[in-house]
Amino acid sequence: MPVSSPFVLAADDTVSEVLPQSTWLLLLVVVGAALAAWLVAVAIGTVVRRFAGRSTAVADLSRRGRRPLRVLLVLVAVTVVLDSATRVGEWRDVVVRVLGLALIAVVAWLVAVAAFVVEDLALARYDVDVVDNRHARRVRTQVTLVRRLTVAVLALLAIAGMLLTFPAARAAGTSILASAGVLSVVAGLAAQTSLANVFAGLQLAFTDAIRVDDVVVVQEEWGRIEEITLTYVVVHVWDDRRLVLPSTYFTTTPFQNWTRTESAVLGSIEIDVDWTTPFDEMRTALDRMLEENNLWDERVKVLQVTDAVGSVIRVRVLVSAKDGPTLFDLRCQVREALVVWLQREHGASLPRVRTEGVGGFGVERVPAPASPGSTDAVTSPNAGLFTGSVEARERSRAFAGPSPEELAERSRNTAESRDDRPA
């Protein structure tokens, strides 16, 4: 055992002699020490708030740390008084042990408060209430998971510190460390699913696969990422339902992320019409509808005939909006406006089943559209999504494979590399 200094022993004996041996008198001293410590904590908080000024971090630290600091100082004062009163009953040892455990918990609480203040300071630098908030949402997702991990680690360390205050627990800890290899294998097999979700949650946070407020389509449900934890992800579905999925779902199952690189997205509207529909007038009506709608972001507006089999013709309209929710409303409004336009202007263009003979429909011939290579198709803003204009051709390059020249160049490079190999 360590040998204490004579001066320390003398000081302890002096304090023990000064403190009363009566339990009631000792309790009065303890209450007085606790009250003095509480007043000191209040004074410290007042001074910190007064000198904090305009510092948001110091003000947040003072607000969050006020309660744990007061509890810490009171526990320290009571522990010092009771630890020095060695001439009272045996109950003192039990109370001092409990106070020591409480001190460990309060210190962990205070450290967690400091960590939360630092994390909030980092979050305050990134505002998500902007149009392009992809980077801010990524940082917020990562900081949120780091906060949860910090709480878990601090709680684990606090519990370990409490257990190490008991001699029996220290002996058991030595045995556990000696057989850590076997225990780790057993624990890994027992908690394989839980550990997989934890690692999947960390992977989602730091690989930027999904972020909070991302618009996704999972299990044929359209919604928004509401919460990401270490073990599960909450998707806020469009009809206000919550879809709770394990973190491993997003690392093992394909899903759609509409806001992976940017929030702006395209949407399609499909309508079946009759063979007599005038598509030029329909495109003019679509232009007018979109120009009057403030939900359209003026990027893409395309009307194309995608199918002409059977008794109807299928028309697909592509429009664009700044984000997924706005696109949903825009599609609904454009679809309704087109249906109303067909009913009001061209009732004969509504889909119907015919029983006419070979004589034809008895209507004027619709002029043939311009060929893809003509000047009208190049200059028309509605020529096509992937052809007919400079923007459309640039868009098609993202989905096209290598050109014949590139393939020939690759073959030539491969042949030269084979010739350069040593025999």
Side-chain angles (χ1 to χ4, degrees), residues 260-277:
R260 176 66 176 82
T261 56
E262 60 179 355
S263 59
V265 288
L266 300 180
S268 63
I269 305 162
E270 291 188 344
I271 299 179
D272 290 340
V273 295
D274 191 72
W275 286 73
T276 60
T277 302

Side-chain angles (χ1 to χ4, degrees), residues 280-315:
D280 291 336
E281 297 181 18
M282 194 172 186
R283 288 191 177 93
T284 304
L286 175 64
D287 293 343
R288 184 177 63 254
M289 296 171 191
L290 292 177
E291 290 173 357
E292 296 174 355
N293 198 318
N294 56 3
L295 301 181
W296 181 51
D297 63 357
E298 301 181 0
R299 289 192 305 118
V300 175
K301 56 174 180 178
V302 176
L303 189 150
Q304 293 176 316
V305 176
T306 59
D307 200 357
V309 177
S311 60
V312 294
I313 291 180
R314 177 155 297 179
V315 176

Side-chain angles (χ1 to χ4, degrees), residues 56-266:
T56 306
V58 177
D60 192 17
L61 181 62
S62 175
R63 179 181 58 85
R64 290 176 178 267
R66 182 186 307 121
R67 186 175 300 175
L69 179 63
R70 293 177 181 178
V71 175
L72 178 64
L73 292 181
V74 170
L75 287 177
V76 169
V78 173
T79 303
V80 169
V81 172
L82 290 180
D83 193 43
S84 302
T86 58
R87 298 184 179 183
V88 293
E90 297 180 354
W91 58 271
R92 182 192 67 89
D93 296 334
V94 178
V95 175
V96 170
R97 177 60 60 84
V98 174
L99 291 175
L101 299 178
L103 276 174
I104 296 175
V106 173
V107 169
W109 183 12
L110 197 58
V111 174
V113 166
F116 284 178
V117 170
V118 174
E119 292 165 357
D120 289 341
L121 188 62
L123 288 177
R125 299 177 56 188
Y126 299 94
D127 187 13
V128 297
D129 296 329
V130 294
V131 177
D132 189 8
N133 58 0
R134 183 172 59 91
H135 182 63
R137 290 188 289 109
R138 180 180 63 182
V139 173
R140 184 172 294 273
T141 301
Q142 294 175 353
V143 171
T144 302
L145 285 182
V146 169
R147 173 176 294 183
R148 297 178 186 274
L149 186 61
T150 301
V151 173
V153 171
L154 288 176
L156 183 62
L157 292 178
I159 294 174
M162 292 178 183
L163 292 178
L164 290 177
T165 59
F166 298 93
R170 287 197 296 267
T174 305
S175 301
I176 291 174
L177 290 177
S179 58
V182 178
L183 289 177
S184 62
V185 174
V186 175
L189 293 176
Q192 183 177 4
T193 303
S194 300
L195 291 176
N197 284 323
V198 170
F199 288 119
L202 293 175
Q203 179 180 350
L204 291 177
F206 293 99
T207 57
D208 204 21
I210 56 174
R211 298 169 297 268
V212 175
D213 286 339
D214 268 352
V215 179
V216 296
V217 178
V218 291
Q219 295 187 351
E220 299 182 357
E221 296 283 357
W222 178 82
R224 178 180 60 86
I225 300 295
E226 184 177 54
E227 184 181 4
I228 301 176
T229 68
L230 290 176
T231 56
Y232 63 89
V233 176
V234 179
V235 180
H236 184 187
V237 187
W238 65 273
D239 56 358
D240 280 343
R241 290 180 294 122
R242 264 64 177 181
L243 189 62
V244 182
L245 298 170
S247 299
T248 53
Y249 176 89
F250 292 91
T251 58
T252 59
T253 307
F255 64 95
Q256 299 181 34
N257 190 341
W258 288 11
T259 55
R260 176 66 176 82
T261 56
E262 60 179 355
S263 59
V265 288
L266 300 180

